Amino acid sequence: MGRMADVLAFTKGHGTENDFVLVPDLDGTLGLSPARAAFLADRRAGIGGDGVIRVVPTAHADEDDVRAQAEQARWFMDYRNADGSAAEMCGNGTRVFAAYLRREGLESADEFVIATRAGAKRVRADGDGWAVELGPWRLTDPAASERDGVDALVHLGEGDPYSAVSVDLGNPHTVVALPEEVDLESVDLSRPPVVRPEPPHGTNVEVVRPIGPGHIAMRVHERGVGETRSCGTGACAAAVATSFWAGSLDTGSTWTVDVAGGRLTVRLLADHGVELAGPAVLVADGTLPLATLPA
C-alpha cells in the first residue's frame, strides 16, 4: 500500500478500541503537519481516530534522537494525538503499528524493534495480539510519592479533589486512587481533569478501581484527545501505581487491566521495566484525495 500522486492511502486499526489512522510514508517525503493529523483524526470531517500514526523509515525521522535509533529499529512510529500534537509514544498504538508492519511485509520476524520519541521499543507476537516492552517507568516525584503515597491532587468535575500519583512511561500519567464509595462509571471525564501541581507538558489521567488480586478496572482521559476506550501506557501506569500503593512492585507480577474497549495484560519486569500485551486489529484500508487535506 502506498501513496499515489494525488491520493493518500490509509489504514484504520485499533487496540482495545483505542483507534488510529495509519498513514504510510515509506519514502519519508509526505510529512504530517498538526493540521493534517487533526483532520485525519476528526470523526466527522475526516476519517476518525484517537490518534494518527505515520509509518516512516527511522532514518527519515525529523528528530535527531529518533534518527539515532535507526541502527536497531527500521521503522519509526510517528504518533500524533487527535488534536495534531506530537506525542512521545502510545502503548496500544505500538501493537497496531507492529501488526501493520507485519501485514505489509515491512517486518517479517515475530520479534523486532520499533522507534518512538520515547526511545526504541521491542515488540513480539503474542497469540492473536502483540506484546511490547515499554521500557523503564519512574515516579515523577519520588520524594513526595514515597513519603505520602501521592504527589498530586486531581479535580474530576465538581467536589473535592482525589489523591493521585504521577508515573512517567516515556509519556506522563497521573493515576487517581478512587475511594471505595465512588463508582468508577459515575466519574465525569467529559472535561479535562484539573491536576495540581500542573504538569508542564500536560498529562494523561487514569481513574482506577481495584477488582481483585492483580486485577483492576480503569477509565482514562488522554491529553489532547479526551476520554478514550483504552490507553496502553495508561494501563501500565495504573498497574504500577496500584502495585506501589500495595507495597509490592515484584518483578514478574502480572496485572489484568479492564478498560472500556476490552482487556489488557501488564507484566512488571526487572529494573522498573514493564510489558504490555493485548489485541491489535486492522479494520479497513482506504484512500482519500490529497486535495481534501489542509494545506
Side-chain angles (χ1 to χ4, degrees):
M1 182 176 234
R3 178 166 52 90
M4 294 175 281
D6 56 355
V7 173
L8 178 73
F10 69 87
T11 295
K12 183 70 181 289
H14 76 89
T16 51
E17 299 182 7
N18 193 193
D19 60 340
F20 313 97
V21 180
L22 295 97
V23 178
D25 185 13
L26 306 189
D27 57 5
T29 60
L30 172 64
L32 194 64
S33 68
R36 287 188 168 188
F39 170 81
L40 292 170
D42 192 302
R43 296 189 184 278
R44 294 177 176 83
I47 299 166
D50 293 326
V52 176
I53 300 172
R54 182 172 67 117
V55 183
V56 63
T58 306
H60 292 316
D62 297 330
E63 300 97 327
D64 291 341
D65 56 345
V66 174
R67 288 197 301 273
Q69 302 170 43
E71 288 190 6
Q72 54 184 322
R74 293 177 57 202
W75 298 99
F76 168 43
M77 186 182 83
D78 180 7
Y79 183 70
R80 310 298 175 104
N81 294 316
D83 65 357
S85 60
E88 296 88 350
M89 60 92 64
C90 170
N92 287 325
T94 56
R95 302 196 314 280
V96 175
F97 187 71
Y100 178 87
L101 293 178
R102 270 283 294 271
R103 190 195 70 175
E104 294 298 305
L106 302 174
E107 291 283 2
S108 58
D110 286 339
E111 185 172 327
F112 50 89
V113 177
I114 62 175
T116 77
R117 292 187 180 89
K121 308 298 178 186
R122 183 169 296 278
V123 297
R124 62 177 176 84
D126 182 52
D128 293 333
W130 289 82
V132 53
E133 294 180 20
L134 294 179
W137 58 266
R138 67 178 181 87
L139 298 175
T140 304
D141 187 348
S145 299
E146 292 172 7
R147 182 184 64 245
D148 304 320
V150 302
D151 65 10
L153 295 175
V154 178
H155 293 264
L156 301 170
E158 304 297 331
D160 295 332
Y162 296 107
S163 300
V165 66
S166 302
V167 183
D168 190 307
L169 273 139
N171 58 355
H173 295 271
T174 303
V175 183
V176 172
L178 201 63
E180 290 185 5
E181 66 272 14
V182 178
D183 181 65
L184 179 64
E185 297 306 316
S186 70
V187 174
D188 180 12
L189 292 180
S190 62
R191 295 174 291 174
V194 177
V195 180
R196 295 289 184 266
E198 183 177 358
H201 304 294
T203 186
N204 305 288
V205 175
E206 287 79 32
V207 183
V208 176
R209 160 72 67 210
I211 301 297
H215 190 182
I216 57 177
M218 180 192 90
R219 289 174 61 199
V220 57
H221 189 286
E222 295 193 55
R223 61 174 179 167
V225 185
E227 183 174 10
T228 60
R229 302 280 292 173
S230 177
C231 176
T233 52
C236 293
V240 166
T242 306
S243 298
F244 170 71
W245 286 320
S248 179
L249 286 162
D250 296 333
T251 297
S253 63
T254 299
W255 285 85
T256 297
V257 184
D258 292 339
V259 294
R263 176 168 286 180
L264 296 164
T265 301
V266 176
R267 185 162 62 97
L268 303 186
L269 308 176
D271 300 321
H272 285 192
V274 64
E275 180 188 72
L276 171 73
V281 182
L282 302 177
V283 176
D285 301 299
T287 61
L288 74 162
L290 282 174
T292 64
L293 295 175

